Amino acid sequence: MSRPRVPERILRAVEALDLAGDERVLELACGRGVAAELLLARHPRLTYLAVDRSAAAVAAAAARNAAAIAQGRLRTLCCPLEELGPDIAPEGPFDVVFAINVNLFWTTTTTAVAQSLADLMSPGARVWLFVEAPGGVGRAVGPALRSLDIPALTADASEAGGLTVVRATKRPG
């Protein structure tokens, strides 16, 4: 049985991450696990936590990536992003955190999620938020920048292939 075509936004995001291959990766709102499958196939030394608030999505991601789970390279977790923390995600601290089209980052101005992420990140860790507006046109991500611009993080935004890419890096120390 062939798999459905991978959406362009996921392919572009996976390419943009430019991983070295041995990072600890946290994917927020992993959906059906397509990005995890692509990244784990490309980088056999990654350690990966895929999180989604939907039990159905997490089950699909786990089924899609059963081999990586059996190898101990991937764990899937059903959890709201606001509840993530080191006690729930002992795989961290994470070197790379990313999300594709997660509206939480542009629909809220709270810093709760940003602080949770900061607590999960290693010094020098990178956060990548990929946002595609309807029709594939990139859009501004004002609240995301404000939410991530907490004392431990710095951020910049750029456009890449129809996606707005927000990169934030945790300052060492």
Side-chain angles (χ1 to χ4, degrees):
M1 178 170 135
S2 67
R3 294 207 189 255
R5 192 176 133 273
V6 175
E8 275 298 312
R9 70 183 176 280
I10 294 175
L11 291 172
R12 288 192 306 263
V14 164
E15 287 300 318
L17 286 173
D18 191 31
L19 299 176
D22 59 354
E23 294 94 341
R24 291 174 307 253
V25 176
L26 170 59
E27 181 181 359
L28 306 172
C30 67
R32 301 182 58 79
V34 176
E37 179 181 39
L38 294 171
L39 289 168
L40 289 163
R42 185 176 294 175
H43 303 290
R45 293 176 302 160
L46 285 183
T47 304
Y48 204 105
L49 175 61
V51 178
D52 202 292
R53 71 180 328 127
S54 163
V58 169
R64 170 181 231 112
N65 293 287
I69 291 171
Q71 295 164 355
R73 298 177 55 222
L74 169 69
R75 183 167 75 100
T76 57
L77 174 64
C78 184
C79 177
L81 300 183
E82 306 89 312
E83 295 177 14
L84 271 178
D87 55 327
I88 296 173
E91 295 85 352
F94 295 96
D95 305 305
V96 174
V97 178
F98 80 98
I100 303 169
N101 284 356
V102 178
N103 70 354
L104 176 69
F105 293 107
W106 70 84
T107 61
T108 183
T109 56
T110 69
T111 59
V113 172
Q115 188 58 56
S116 293
L117 291 181
D119 292 344
L120 290 168
M121 295 165 60
S122 63
R126 299 170 313 223
V127 175
W128 295 76
L129 303 179
F130 300 95
V131 182
E132 181 182 50
V137 177
R139 63 178 298 246
V141 192
L145 291 173
R146 284 193 296 279
S147 293
L148 286 172
D149 195 17
I150 59 177
L153 298 176
T154 58
D156 69 89
S158 64
E159 297 290 326
L163 294 177
T164 297
V165 183
V166 177
R167 289 182 288 270
T169 303
K170 184 172 183 177
R171 293 185 193 121

